Amino acid sequence: MPGSGKSTSGKELANLLNRQYFDLDDVIVNEEGLSISDLFNEKGEQEFRAIERQCLVQSIAQEGPFVMAAGGGTPCFFDNLELMNKNGVTIYLNTPLSVIASRLKNDVSRPLMANHTTEVLYEKRKKWYMQAKKEVRSHEELLAYVTAHLDPS
C-alpha cells in the first residue's frame, strides 16, 4: 500500500543484504522525465501502468541481486505479481491502515489517494497483496524474516 514504508524498509534491507536498491517509482520518473502525479494527469492510469510494467521488466532483467520497492499498485496490473514472484522474493508489508492513513493525510503527491480512501484502495488490492511470497506486519518483522531467510552474499 502507499505509505506502508516500502521505500524506507527497502533501503535498509538493501544495506543489510549488501544489494543494490531502487524504487520502481524513481525508475519510472527517471525514464519518463515526469513525476508520477504528472504522468497520471497527462497520460492517465492505463498508460502509466504500461510504463510501470515496462520499467518493471527492465529492472528485473538487470544483472545481480537487488532490493526493489514497487509501487502499491504494481502487483495489481498485468501479470506483474507473477513476474515478481517468479524472479524473486516478494514481501507484502502489511502496515495497519490507520498508520497508512495517518502518514498520507497531508500527502498530495499520490494521485490515487485523491479519489480513494485507504480502506477502499486496500479492498481493491488485497487479493494481489495476499499472493506475495511472505507477509509481514511490521518493519521489525521484515528485518527478522530477511535476516533469518535471505543470504546477504
Side-chain angles (χ1 to χ4, degrees), residues 66-153:
F66 60 86
V67 173
M68 175 180 63
T74 305
C76 309
F77 293 87
F78 306 106
D79 64 343
N80 291 345
L81 182 61
E82 181 181 333
L83 179 67
M84 291 187 292
N85 276 335
K86 180 182 170 189
N87 288 283
V89 177
T90 54
I91 301 172
Y92 167 38
L93 183 53
N94 189 356
T95 304
L97 296 181
S98 59
V99 172
I100 292 172
S102 175
R103 290 177 181 168
L104 298 180
K105 70 180 177 183
N106 295 319
D107 186 347
V108 296
S109 68
R110 299 173 192 265
L112 289 178
M113 298 311 293
N115 300 319
H116 297 86
T117 65
T118 305
E119 293 79 9
V120 167
L121 196 59
Y122 173 74
E123 286 302 318
K124 288 182 173 188
R125 294 177 171 181
K126 71 180 178 181
K127 69 181 175 182
W128 287 282
Y129 293 164
M130 297 302 174
Q131 294 175 50
K133 289 184 179 178
K134 177 68 179 169
E135 176 183 354
V136 296
R137 297 198 172 269
S138 69
H139 179 74
E140 294 73 25
E141 186 181 341
L142 175 62
L143 293 177
Y145 171 77
V146 168
T147 301
H149 294 93
L150 298 181
D151 182 7
S153 58

Coordinates of all heavy atoms in Angstrom, one line a residue, residues 66-153:
F66 N 19.1 -7.6 -6.1 CA 18.7 -6.2 -5.7 C 17.5 -6.2 -4.8 O 16.8 -7.3 -4.7 CB 18.4 -5.3 -7.0 CG 17.3 -5.9 -7.8 CD1 16.0 -5.6 -7.6 CD2 17.6 -6.7 -8.9 CE1 15.0 -6.1 -8.4 CE2 16.6 -7.2 -9.7 CZ 15.3 -6.9 -9.4
V67 N 17.2 -5.1 -4.2 CA 16.0 -4.9 -3.4 C 15.3 -3.8 -4.1 O 15.8 -2.8 -4.5 CB 16.3 -4.5 -2.0 CG1 15.1 -4.1 -1.2 CG2 17.1 -5.6 -1.2
M68 N 14.0 -4.0 -4.4 CA 13.1 -3.1 -5.1 C 11.9 -2.8 -4.3 O 11.2 -3.7 -3.8 CB 12.7 -3.6 -6.5 CG 11.7 -2.7 -7.2 SD 11.2 -3.3 -8.8 CE 10.4 -4.8 -8.4
A69 N 11.6 -1.5 -4.1 CA 10.3 -1.1 -3.6 C 9.4 -0.8 -4.8 O 9.6 0.1 -5.6 CB 10.5 0.2 -2.7
A70 N 8.4 -1.7 -5.0 CA 7.4 -1.5 -6.1 C 6.3 -0.6 -5.6 O 6.0 -0.5 -4.4 CB 6.9 -2.8 -6.5
G71 N 5.7 0.1 -6.6 CA 4.6 0.9 -6.2 C 3.4 0.1 -5.7 O 3.3 -1.1 -6.0
G72 N 2.5 0.7 -4.9 CA 1.4 -0.1 -4.3 C 0.5 -0.7 -5.3 O -0.1 -1.7 -5.0
G73 N 0.4 -0.2 -6.5 CA -0.5 -0.8 -7.5 C 0.3 -1.7 -8.4 O -0.4 -2.5 -9.2
T74 N 1.6 -1.7 -8.4 CA 2.3 -2.6 -9.3 C 1.9 -4.0 -9.4 O 1.7 -4.6 -10.5 CB 3.9 -2.5 -9.0 OG1 4.3 -1.1 -9.0 CG2 4.7 -3.3 -10.0
P75 N 1.7 -4.7 -8.3 CA 1.3 -6.1 -8.4 C -0.1 -6.4 -8.9 O -0.4 -7.5 -9.2 CB 1.4 -6.6 -6.9 CG 1.4 -5.4 -6.1 CD 1.9 -4.3 -6.9
C76 N -0.9 -5.3 -9.0 CA -2.3 -5.5 -9.3 C -2.6 -5.4 -10.8 O -3.8 -5.5 -11.2 CB -3.1 -4.4 -8.6 SG -2.8 -4.4 -6.8
F77 N -1.6 -5.2 -11.7 CA -1.8 -5.0 -13.1 C -1.0 -6.0 -13.9 O 0.1 -6.4 -13.5 CB -1.5 -3.5 -13.5 CG -2.5 -2.6 -12.9 CD1 -2.2 -2.0 -11.6 CD2 -3.6 -2.2 -13.5 CE1 -3.1 -1.2 -11.0 CE2 -4.5 -1.3 -12.9 CZ -4.3 -0.8 -11.7
F78 N -1.5 -6.3 -15.1 CA -0.9 -7.3 -16.0 C -0.6 -8.5 -15.2 O -1.4 -8.9 -14.4 CB 0.3 -6.7 -16.6 CG 0.1 -5.4 -17.3 CD1 0.5 -4.2 -16.8 CD2 -0.6 -5.3 -18.5 CE1 0.2 -2.9 -17.4 CE2 -0.9 -4.1 -19.2 CZ -0.4 -2.9 -18.6
D79 N 0.5 -9.1 -15.4 CA 0.9 -10.3 -14.6 C 2.2 -9.9 -13.8 O 3.1 -10.7 -13.5 CB 1.2 -11.5 -15.5 CG 2.4 -11.3 -16.4 OD1 2.8 -10.1 -16.7 OD2 2.9 -12.3 -17.0
N80 N 2.2 -8.6 -13.3 CA 3.3 -8.1 -12.6 C 3.7 -8.9 -11.4 O 4.9 -9.2 -11.1 CB 3.1 -6.7 -12.2 CG 3.1 -5.7 -13.4 OD1 3.5 -6.1 -14.5 ND2 2.6 -4.5 -13.2
L81 N 2.7 -9.3 -10.6 CA 3.0 -10.1 -9.4 C 3.5 -11.4 -9.7 O 4.5 -11.9 -9.1 CB 1.7 -10.2 -8.5 CG 1.9 -10.9 -7.2 CD1 3.0 -10.2 -6.3 CD2 0.6 -11.1 -6.4
E82 N 3.0 -12.1 -10.7 CA 3.5 -13.4 -11.1 C 5.0 -13.2 -11.6 O 5.8 -14.0 -11.2 CB 2.7 -13.9 -12.3 CG 3.1 -15.3 -12.8 CD 2.3 -15.8 -13.9 OE1 1.1 -15.4 -14.0 OE2 2.8 -16.5 -14.7
L83 N 5.3 -12.2 -12.3 CA 6.6 -11.9 -12.7 C 7.6 -11.7 -11.6 O 8.7 -12.2 -11.5 CB 6.6 -10.7 -13.7 CG 8.0 -10.3 -14.2 CD1 8.5 -11.3 -15.2 CD2 7.8 -8.9 -14.9
M84 N 7.1 -10.9 -10.6 CA 8.0 -10.6 -9.4 C 8.1 -11.9 -8.6 O 9.3 -12.2 -8.1 CB 7.3 -9.5 -8.6 CG 7.4 -8.1 -9.3 SD 6.9 -6.8 -8.2 CE 5.1 -7.0 -8.0
N85 N 7.1 -12.7 -8.4 CA 7.2 -13.9 -7.6 C 8.1 -14.9 -8.3 O 8.9 -15.6 -7.7 CB 5.8 -14.6 -7.4 CG 5.1 -14.0 -6.2 OD1 5.7 -13.4 -5.3 ND2 3.8 -14.1 -6.3
K86 N 8.1 -15.0 -9.6 CA 8.9 -15.9 -10.4 C 10.4 -15.5 -10.3 O 11.3 -16.3 -10.3 CB 8.5 -15.9 -11.9 CG 9.3 -16.8 -12.8 CD 8.8 -16.6 -14.2 CE 9.7 -17.3 -15.2 NZ 9.3 -17.1 -16.6
N87 N 10.7 -14.2 -10.2 CA 12.1 -13.7 -10.2 C 12.7 -13.3 -8.9 O 13.8 -12.8 -8.9 CB 12.1 -12.6 -11.3 CG 12.0 -13.1 -12.7 OD1 12.9 -13.6 -13.2 ND2 10.8 -12.9 -13.2
G88 N 11.9 -13.4 -7.8 CA 12.5 -13.0 -6.6 C 11.6 -13.3 -5.4 O 10.6 -14.1 -5.5
V89 N 11.9 -12.8 -4.3 CA 11.1 -13.0 -3.1 C 10.3 -11.7 -2.9 O 10.8 -10.6 -2.7 CB 12.1 -13.1 -1.8 CG1 11.2 -13.2 -0.5 CG2 13.0 -14.4 -2.0
T90 N 9.0 -11.9 -3.0 CA 8.1 -10.7 -2.8 C 7.6 -10.7 -1.3 O 7.3 -11.8 -0.8 CB 6.9 -10.8 -3.7 OG1 6.2 -12.1 -3.5 CG2 7.3 -10.6 -5.2
I91 N 7.6 -9.6 -0.8 CA 7.2 -9.4 0.6 C 6.1 -8.3 0.7 O 6.4 -7.2 0.3 CB 8.4 -9.0 1.5 CG1 9.5 -10.1 1.4 CG2 8.0 -8.9 3.0 CD1 10.8 -9.8 2.1
Y92 N 5.0 -8.7 1.3 CA 3.9 -7.7 1.5 C 4.1 -7.1 2.9 O 4.0 -7.8 3.9 CB 2.6 -8.4 1.3 CG 1.4 -7.6 1.8 CD1 1.3 -6.3 1.6 CD2 0.3 -8.3 2.4 CE1 0.2 -5.6 2.1 CE2 -0.8 -7.6 2.9 CZ -0.8 -6.2 2.7 OH -1.9 -5.6 3.2
L93 N 4.4 -5.8 2.9 CA 4.5 -5.1 4.2 C 3.1 -4.6 4.6 O 2.6 -3.6 4.1 CB 5.5 -3.9 4.0 CG 5.8 -3.1 5.3 CD1 6.2 -4.0 6.4 CD2 6.8 -2.1 4.9
N94 N 2.4 -5.4 5.4 CA 1.0 -5.2 5.8 C 0.9 -4.2 7.0 O 0.7 -4.6 8.1 CB 0.3 -6.5 6.1 CG -1.2 -6.4 6.3 OD1 -1.7 -5.3 6.2 ND2 -1.8 -7.5 6.5
T95 N 1.2 -3.0 6.7 CA 1.1 -1.9 7.7 C -0.4 -1.6 8.0 O -1.2 -1.6 7.1 CB 1.8 -0.7 7.1 OG1 3.1 -1.0 6.8 CG2 1.8 0.5 8.2
P96 N -0.7 -1.4 9.3 CA -2.1 -1.1 9.6 C -2.6 0.1 8.8 O -1.9 1.1 8.6 CB -2.0 -0.8 11.1 CG -0.8 -1.5 11.6 CD 0.1 -1.5 10.5
L97 N -3.9 0.0 8.4 CA -4.5 1.0 7.6 C -4.5 2.4 8.3 O -4.4 3.4 7.7 CB -5.8 0.6 7.1 CG -5.9 -0.6 6.1 CD1 -7.3 -0.9 5.7 CD2 -5.0 -0.4 4.9
S98 N -4.7 2.3 9.6 CA -4.7 3.6 10.4 C -3.4 4.3 10.3 O -3.3 5.5 10.3 CB -5.1 3.3 11.8 OG -4.2 2.4 12.4
V99 N -2.3 3.5 10.3 CA -0.9 4.1 10.2 C -0.7 4.7 8.8 O -0.2 5.8 8.7 CB 0.1 3.0 10.5 CG1 1.5 3.6 10.3 CG2 0.0 2.6 12.0
I100 N -1.1 4.0 7.8 CA -1.0 4.5 6.4 C -1.8 5.7 6.3 O -1.3 6.7 5.7 CB -1.5 3.4 5.4 CG1 -0.5 2.2 5.5 CG2 -1.6 4.0 4.0 CD1 -0.9 1.0 4.6
A101 N -3.1 5.8 6.7 CA -3.9 6.9 6.6 C -3.3 8.1 7.3 O -3.3 9.3 6.8 CB -5.3 6.7 7.2
S102 N -2.7 7.9 8.4 CA -2.0 9.0 9.2 C -0.8 9.5 8.4 O -0.6 10.7 8.3 CB -1.6 8.5 10.5 OG -0.8 9.5 11.2
R103 N -0.1 8.6 7.8 CA 1.1 9.0 7.0 C 0.7 9.8 5.8 O 1.5 10.7 5.3 CB 1.9 7.8 6.6 CG 2.6 7.1 7.8 CD 3.4 5.9 7.3 NE 4.0 5.2 8.4 CZ 4.5 4.0 8.3 NH1 4.5 3.3 7.2 NH2 5.1 3.5 9.4
L104 N -0.4 9.5 5.2 CA -0.8 10.0 3.9 C -1.7 11.2 4.0 O -2.0 11.9 3.0 CB -1.4 9.0 3.0 CG -0.6 7.8 2.6 CD1 -1.4 6.8 1.8 CD2 0.7 8.2 1.9
K105 N -2.2 11.6 5.2 CA -3.2 12.6 5.3 C -2.9 13.9 4.7 O -3.7 14.6 4.2 CB -3.7 12.8 6.8 CG -2.7 13.4 7.7 CD -3.3 13.5 9.1 CE -2.2 14.1 10.0 NZ -2.7 14.1 11.4
N106 N -1.6 14.3 4.7 CA -1.2 15.6 4.1 C -0.4 15.4 2.8 O 0.2 16.4 2.3 CB -0.4 16.4 5.1 CG -1.3 16.8 6.3 OD1 -2.5 17.2 6.1 ND2 -0.7 16.7 7.5
D107 N -0.3 14.2 2.3 CA 0.5 13.9 1.1 C -0.4 14.1 -0.1 O -1.3 13.3 -0.4 CB 1.0 12.5 1.2 CG 2.0 12.2 0.1 OD1 2.1 12.9 -0.9 OD2 2.7 11.2 0.2
V108 N -0.1 15.1 -0.9 CA -0.9 15.4 -2.2 C -0.2 14.8 -3.4 O -0.7 15.0 -4.5 CB -1.2 16.9 -2.3 CG1 -2.1 17.4 -1.2 CG2 0.1 17.6 -2.4
S109 N 0.9 14.1 -3.2 CA 1.7 13.6 -4.4 C 1.2 12.3 -4.9 O 1.8 11.8 -5.9 CB 3.2 13.5 -4.0 OG 3.4 12.5 -3.0
R110 N 0.2 11.7 -4.2 CA -0.2 10.3 -4.6 C -1.5 10.4 -5.3 O -2.6 10.6 -4.7 CB -0.3 9.4 -3.4 CG 1.1 9.3 -2.8 CD 1.0 8.5 -1.5 NE 2.2 8.6 -0.7 CZ 3.2 7.7 -0.8 NH1 3.1 6.7 -1.5 NH2 4.3 7.9 0.0
P111 N -1.6 10.3 -6.7 CA -2.8 10.6 -7.4 C -4.0 9.7 -7.1 O -5.1 10.3 -7.0 CB -2.4 10.3 -8.9 CG -1.0 9.8 -8.9 CD -0.4 9.9 -7.5
L112 N -3.8 8.5 -6.8 CA -5.0 7.6 -6.5 C -5.6 7.9 -5.1 O -6.8 7.7 -4.9 CB -4.6 6.1 -6.5 CG -4.3 5.6 -7.9 CD1 -3.9 4.1 -7.9 CD2 -5.6 5.8 -8.8
M113 N -4.8 8.5 -4.2 CA -5.3 8.8 -2.9 C -6.3 10.0 -2.9 O -7.0 10.2 -2.0 CB -4.2 9.0 -1.9 CG -3.3 7.8 -1.7 SD -4.2 6.3 -1.4 CE -4.9 6.6 0.2
A114 N -6.3 10.8 -4.0 CA -7.2 11.9 -4.1 C -8.6 11.4 -4.3 O -9.5 12.1 -3.9 CB -6.8 12.8 -5.3
N115 N -8.8 10.3 -4.8 CA -10.2 9.8 -5.1 C -10.5 8.5 -4.3 O -11.6 7.9 -4.5 CB -10.3 9.5 -6.6 CG -10.1 10.7 -7.4 OD1 -10.6 11.8 -7.0 ND2 -9.4 10.6 -8.5
H116 N -9.6 8.0 -3.5 CA -9.9 6.8 -2.7 C -9.5 6.9 -1.3 O -8.5 7.6 -1.0 CB -9.1 5.6 -3.3 CG -9.4 5.2 -4.7 ND1 -8.8 5.9 -5.8 CD2 -10.2 4.3 -5.2 CE1 -9.3 5.3 -6.9 NE2 -10.1 4.4 -6.6
T117 N -10.2 6.3 -0.4 CA -9.8 6.2 1.0 C -8.8 5.1 1.1 O -8.7 4.2 0.2 CB -10.9 5.9 1.9 OG1 -11.5 4.7 1.7 CG2 -12.0 7.0 1.9
T118 N -8.0 5.0 2.1 CA -7.1 4.0 2.3 C -7.8 2.6 2.3 O -7.3 1.6 1.7 CB -6.3 4.2 3.7 OG1 -5.7 5.5 3.7 CG2 -5.3 3.1 3.9
E119 N -8.9 2.6 3.0 CA -9.7 1.3 3.1 C -10.2 0.8 1.7 O -10.1 -0.3 1.4 CB -10.9 1.5 4.0 CG -10.5 1.7 5.5 CD -10.1 3.2 5.8 OE1 -10.2 4.1 5.0 OE2 -9.5 3.4 6.9
V120 N -10.7 1.8 0.9 CA -11.2 1.4 -0.4 C -10.1 0.9 -1.3 O -10.2 -0.2 -2.0 CB -11.9 2.6 -1.1 CG1 -12.2 2.3 -2.6 CG2 -13.3 2.9 -0.4
L121 N -9.0 1.6 -1.3 CA -7.8 1.1 -2.1 C -7.3 -0.2 -1.6 O -7.0 -1.1 -2.5 CB -6.7 2.2 -2.0 CG -5.6 2.1 -3.0 CD1 -6.2 2.2 -4.5 CD2 -4.5 3.2 -2.8
Y122 N -7.3 -0.4 -0.3 CA -6.8 -1.7 0.2 C -7.8 -2.9 -0.2 O -7.4 -3.9 -0.7 CB -6.7 -1.7 1.7 CG -6.5 -3.1 2.3 CD1 -5.2 -3.6 2.2 CD2 -7.5 -3.8 2.9 CE1 -4.9 -4.9 2.7 CE2 -7.2 -5.1 3.5 CZ -6.0 -5.6 3.3 OH -5.7 -6.9 3.8
E123 N -9.1 -2.6 -0.1 CA -10.1 -3.6 -0.5 C -9.9 -4.0 -2.0 O -10.1 -5.2 -2.4 CB -11.5 -3.2 -0.3 CG -11.9 -3.2 1.2 CD -11.7 -4.6 1.8 OE1 -12.1 -5.6 1.2 OE2 -11.2 -4.6 3.0
K124 N -9.6 -3.0 -2.9 CA -9.4 -3.3 -4.3 C -8.1 -4.1 -4.6 O -8.0 -4.8 -5.5 CB -9.3 -2.0 -5.1 CG -10.6 -1.3 -5.2 CD -10.4 0.0 -6.0 CE -11.7 0.7 -6.3 NZ -11.6 1.8 -7.2
R125 N -7.1 -4.0 -3.7 CA -5.8 -4.6 -4.0 C -5.4 -5.8 -3.1 O -4.5 -6.5 -3.5 CB -4.7 -3.5 -3.7 CG -4.8 -2.4 -4.7 CD -3.8 -1.3 -4.4 NE -3.7 -0.3 -5.5 CZ -2.9 0.7 -5.5 NH1 -2.0 0.9 -4.5 NH2 -2.9 1.6 -6.5
K126 N -6.2 -6.1 -2.1 CA -5.7 -7.1 -1.1 C -5.5 -8.5 -1.7 O -4.7 -9.2 -1.3 CB -6.6 -7.1 0.1 CG -8.0 -7.7 -0.1 CD -8.8 -7.7 1.2 CE -10.2 -8.2 1.0 NZ -10.9 -8.2 2.2
K127 N -6.4 -8.8 -2.7 CA -6.2 -10.2 -3.3 C -4.9 -10.4 -4.0 O -4.3 -11.5 -4.0 CB -7.4 -10.5 -4.3 CG -7.4 -9.7 -5.5 CD -8.6 -10.1 -6.4 CE -8.6 -9.2 -7.6 NZ -9.8 -9.5 -8.4
W128 N -4.3 -9.3 -4.5 CA -2.9 -9.4 -5.0 C -1.9 -9.4 -3.9 O -0.9 -10.1 -4.0 CB -2.7 -8.3 -6.0 CG -3.4 -8.4 -7.3 CD1 -3.1 -9.3 -8.4 CD2 -4.6 -7.8 -7.7 NE1 -4.0 -9.2 -9.3 CE2 -5.0 -8.3 -9.0 CE3 -5.4 -6.9 -7.1 CZ2 -6.1 -7.9 -9.7 CZ3 -6.6 -6.4 -7.8 CH2 -6.9 -6.9 -9.0
Y129 N -2.1 -8.5 -3.0 CA -1.1 -8.4 -1.9 C -0.9 -9.7 -1.2 O 0.2 -10.1 -0.8 CB -1.5 -7.3 -0.9 CG -1.4 -5.9 -1.4 CD1 -2.1 -4.9 -0.7 CD2 -0.8 -5.5 -2.5 CE1 -2.1 -3.6 -1.1 CE2 -0.7 -4.2 -3.0 CZ -1.4 -3.3 -2.2 OH -1.3 -1.9 -2.6
M130 N -2.0 -10.5 -1.0 CA -2.0 -11.7 -0.3 C -1.3 -12.8 -1.1 O -1.0 -13.9 -0.5 CB -3.4 -12.2 0.0 CG -4.2 -11.2 1.0 SD -3.3 -11.0 2.5 CE -4.2 -9.8 3.3
Q131 N -0.9 -12.6 -2.3 CA -0.2 -13.6 -3.1 C 1.3 -13.4 -3.1 O 2.0 -14.1 -3.8 CB -0.7 -13.5 -4.6 CG -2.2 -13.9 -4.8 CD -2.6 -13.7 -6.2 OE1 -2.0 -14.1 -7.1 NE2 -3.8 -13.0 -6.3
A132 N 1.7 -12.4 -2.3 CA 3.2 -12.3 -2.1 C 3.7 -13.5 -1.4 O 3.0 -14.2 -0.7 CB 3.5 -11.0 -1.3
K133 N 5.0 -13.8 -1.6 CA 5.6 -15.0 -1.0 C 5.6 -14.9 0.5 O 5.5 -15.9 1.2 CB 7.0 -15.2 -1.5 CG 7.0 -15.6 -3.0 CD 8.4 -15.9 -3.5 CE 8.4 -16.4 -4.9 NZ 9.8 -16.7 -5.4
K134 N 5.7 -13.7 1.0 CA 5.7 -13.5 2.5 C 5.0 -12.3 2.9 O 5.0 -11.3 2.2 CB 7.2 -13.4 3.0 CG 7.4 -13.1 4.4 CD 7.0 -14.3 5.3 CE 7.2 -14.1 6.8 NZ 6.6 -15.1 7.6
E135 N 4.2 -12.3 4.0 CA 3.5 -11.2 4.5 C 4.2 -10.9 5.9 O 4.4 -11.8 6.7 CB 2.1 -11.5 4.7 CG 1.3 -10.4 5.4 CD -0.2 -10.7 5.6 OE1 -0.6 -11.8 5.2 OE2 -0.8 -9.9 6.3
V136 N 4.5 -9.6 6.1 CA 5.0 -9.2 7.4 C 4.1 -8.0 7.9 O 3.6 -7.3 7.1 CB 6.5 -8.8 7.4 CG1 7.3 -10.0 7.1 CG2 6.8 -7.7 6.5
R137 N 4.0 -7.8 9.2 CA 3.2 -6.8 9.7 C 3.9 -5.6 10.3 O 3.3 -4.7 10.8 CB 2.2 -7.4 10.8 CG 1.3 -8.5 10.1 CD 0.1 -8.8 11.0 NE -0.8 -9.6 10.3 CZ -1.8 -9.1 9.6 NH1 -2.0 -7.9 9.4 NH2 -2.6 -10.0 9.0
S138 N 5.2 -5.6 10.3 CA 6.0 -4.5 10.8 C 7.4 -4.5 10.2 O 7.8 -5.5 9.7 CB 6.1 -4.6 12.3 OG 6.9 -5.7 12.7
H139 N 8.0 -3.4 10.3 CA 9.4 -3.2 9.8 C 10.3 -4.2 10.6 O 11.1 -4.9 10.0 CB 9.8 -1.8 10.0 CG 11.2 -1.5 9.6 ND1 11.6 -1.4 8.3 CD2 12.4 -1.3 10.3 CE1 12.9 -1.2 8.2 NE2 13.4 -1.1 9.4
E140 N 10.1 -4.4 11.9 CA 10.9 -5.3 12.7 C 10.7 -6.7 12.2 O 11.7 -7.5 12.2 CB 10.5 -5.1 14.2 CG 10.9 -3.7 14.8 CD 10.0 -2.6 14.3 OE1 8.8 -2.8 13.9 OE2 10.4 -1.4 14.3
E141 N 9.4 -7.1 12.0 CA 9.2 -8.5 11.5 C 9.9 -8.7 10.1 O 10.4 -9.8 9.8 CB 7.7 -8.7 11.4 CG 7.3 -10.1 11.0 CD 5.8 -10.4 10.9 OE1 5.0 -9.6 11.4 OE2 5.5 -11.4 10.3
L142 N 9.8 -7.7 9.3 CA 10.5 -7.7 8.0 C 12.0 -8.0 8.2 O 12.6 -8.9 7.5 CB 10.3 -6.5 7.2 CG 11.0 -6.3 5.9 CD1 10.5 -7.4 4.9 CD2 10.7 -4.9 5.3
L143 N 12.6 -7.2 9.0 CA 14.1 -7.3 9.3 C 14.4 -8.7 9.8 O 15.4 -9.4 9.4 CB 14.6 -6.3 10.2 CG 14.6 -4.8 9.6 CD1 15.0 -3.8 10.7 CD2 15.4 -4.7 8.4
A144 N 13.6 -9.2 10.7 CA 13.8 -10.5 11.3 C 13.7 -11.6 10.2 O 14.5 -12.6 10.2 CB 12.8 -10.8 12.4
Y145 N 12.7 -11.5 9.4 CA 12.5 -12.5 8.3 C 13.7 -12.5 7.4 O 14.2 -13.6 7.0 CB 11.2 -12.2 7.5 CG 11.1 -13.1 6.3 CD1 10.7 -14.4 6.4 CD2 11.4 -12.6 5.1 CE1 10.6 -15.2 5.3 CE2 11.3 -13.4 3.9 CZ 10.9 -14.7 4.0 OH 10.8 -15.5 2.9
V146 N 14.1 -11.3 6.9 CA 15.2 -11.2 6.0 C 16.5 -11.8 6.6 O 17.2 -12.5 6.0 CB 15.3 -9.8 5.5 CG1 16.6 -9.6 4.7 CG2 14.1 -9.4 4.6
T147 N 16.7 -11.4 7.8 CA 17.9 -11.8 8.5 C 18.0 -13.4 8.6 O 19.0 -14.0 8.4 CB 18.0 -11.2 9.9 OG1 18.0 -9.8 9.7 CG2 19.3 -11.6 10.6
A148 N 16.8 -14.0 8.9 CA 16.8 -15.4 9.0 C 16.7 -16.2 7.7 O 17.2 -17.4 7.7 CB 15.5 -15.8 9.9
H149 N 16.2 -15.6 6.7 CA 15.9 -16.4 5.5 C 16.7 -16.0 4.2 O 16.7 -16.8 3.2 CB 14.4 -16.3 5.2 CG 13.6 -17.0 6.2 ND1 13.1 -16.4 7.3 CD2 13.3 -18.3 6.4 CE1 12.4 -17.2 8.0 NE2 12.5 -18.4 7.5
L150 N 17.2 -14.8 4.1 CA 17.9 -14.4 2.9 C 19.4 -14.3 3.1 O 19.9 -13.7 4.1 CB 17.3 -13.1 2.4 CG 15.8 -13.1 2.1 CD1 15.4 -11.7 1.6 CD2 15.5 -14.1 1.0
D151 N 20.1 -14.8 2.2 CA 21.6 -14.8 2.2 C 22.1 -13.4 1.7 O 21.8 -13.0 0.6 CB 22.1 -15.9 1.3 CG 23.6 -16.0 1.3 OD1 24.3 -15.3 2.1 OD2 24.1 -16.8 0.5
P152 N 22.9 -12.8 2.6 CA 23.4 -11.4 2.2 C 24.5 -11.5 1.1 O 24.9 -10.5 0.6 CB 23.9 -10.9 3.5 CG 24.3 -12.0 4.3 CD 23.3 -13.1 3.9
S153 N 25.0 -12.6 0.7 CA 26.0 -12.7 -0.3 C 25.5 -12.7 -1.7 O 24.3 -12.8 -2.0 CB 26.9 -13.9 -0.1 OG 26.1 -15.1 -0.2

